[in-house]
Amino acid sequence: MLKMKLFLFAVPLAFFCLVQGFSDDPQHREKAQGRWMTLALSTTDPKILKHMEKMKIVMVDVALEGEDVVVETSIPTPHGCKSFKMVFKRGEDGKYYHKCKFGDHKVEVVETDGQTYAIVDLITIRDGQTYQTSTLYARDAESQPIGLLEQFQQRSENRGFTSEQIKIFPKEVACQDQAE
C-alpha cells in the first residue's frame, strides 16, 4: 500500500514544477493555474515502475498562494480515490522544493507552451538514491498539439529512459467524479 501511495504521490507532485517554467512575471505565473491532466510519464524510480501498468490519467488543480504553489488532486488507491492537497515553498533561488517521507524533490527542467501542455522533469532523492521522473501534462486529455505524445516519448528516449520506463496513459481518467 505504501508503495502504491508513493507512485500516486509522484504524478501530481511533479506538477507543481510547471510554475517554474513560467517567468517571475505574475501574469506568466498565473497561466500555470487551473486544471491539468497527466498524459504520460517516464521514470527511473523502481517504486513507480512497479505500478506503471495500472496508471491512468489523473487530474491536477494548481493554484498560487503568494509565492507558494498549491496542488490538489484525487488519486486512486487500493481503497478507493483519495484527495490530496500539497503546498510547495519557493526557495531563495526561485525554485520550488518539497520534502516529505517519499523523498526530497527538485525541479530540473520544464518545457511548456503555457497554454496547452507542460513537460515537468523532477529529481527525487530517497534513501541516498537519485531518480528521474518526467511527466507530460495537458489542459485536456482529448485535444493537445499534434504529435505531442510522440514528442514526449522521443524526448524521454533521448534522455535515456527505456521503453519499459515510459508510459502513455490510456484515455481513461482516474477519480474523475471526485475532481469535478
Side-chain angles (χ1 to χ4, degrees), residues 26-80:
Q27 291 178 350
H28 292 149
R29 285 175 31 97
E30 287 181 15
K31 288 182 182 179
Q33 294 188 102
R35 175 153 294 164
W36 293 83
M37 297 184 164
T38 60
L39 298 184
L41 177 88
S42 51
T43 187
T44 60
D45 191 324
K47 292 185 177 187
I48 297 172
L49 288 168
K50 183 176 178 180
H51 301 284
M52 285 277 267
E53 289 307 312
K54 300 173 191 170
M55 296 170 108
K56 299 177 185 175
I57 292 172
V58 175
M59 291 185 280
V60 179
D61 293 313
V62 176
L64 301 176
E65 291 182 3
E67 292 294 312
D68 298 341
V69 177
V70 178
V71 177
E72 294 186 71
T73 189
S74 199
I75 56 176
T77 71
H79 304 289

Side-chain angles (χ1 to χ4, degrees), residues 46-160:
K47 292 185 177 187
I48 297 172
L49 288 168
K50 183 176 178 180
H51 301 284
M52 285 277 267
E53 289 307 312
K54 300 173 191 170
M55 296 170 108
K56 299 177 185 175
I57 292 172
V58 175
M59 291 185 280
V60 179
D61 293 313
V62 176
L64 301 176
E65 291 182 3
E67 292 294 312
D68 298 341
V69 177
V70 178
V71 177
E72 294 186 71
T73 189
S74 199
I75 56 176
T77 71
H79 304 289
C81 292
K82 181 170 172 114
S83 295
F84 287 93
K85 179 178 180 179
M86 298 164 277
V87 178
F88 300 93
K89 302 288 183 185
R90 189 171 189 178
E92 290 180 12
D93 60 0
K95 294 185 179 184
Y96 292 89
Y97 294 90
H98 184 76
K99 292 183 180 194
C100 66
K101 64 183 176 182
F102 300 117
D104 296 343
H105 308 282
K106 178 181 109 177
V107 177
E108 285 296 308
V109 175
V110 174
E111 176 183 322
T112 183
D113 69 358
Q115 296 174 354
T116 59
Y117 82 97
I119 299 173
V120 177
D121 290 346
L122 185 70
I123 299 296
T124 300
I125 300 172
R126 183 179 61 252
D127 300 327
Q129 297 292 316
T130 302
Y131 306 105
Q132 296 182 359
T133 301
S134 185
T135 307
L136 172 63
Y137 295 90
R139 290 285 188 182
D140 184 323
E142 296 299 321
S143 59
Q144 63 265 348
I146 296 173
L148 183 61
L149 292 171
E150 293 81 8
Q151 289 174 336
F152 177 80
Q153 186 160 354
Q154 185 63 53
R155 179 182 183 277
S156 295
E157 290 170 1
N158 290 345
R159 296 193 65 234

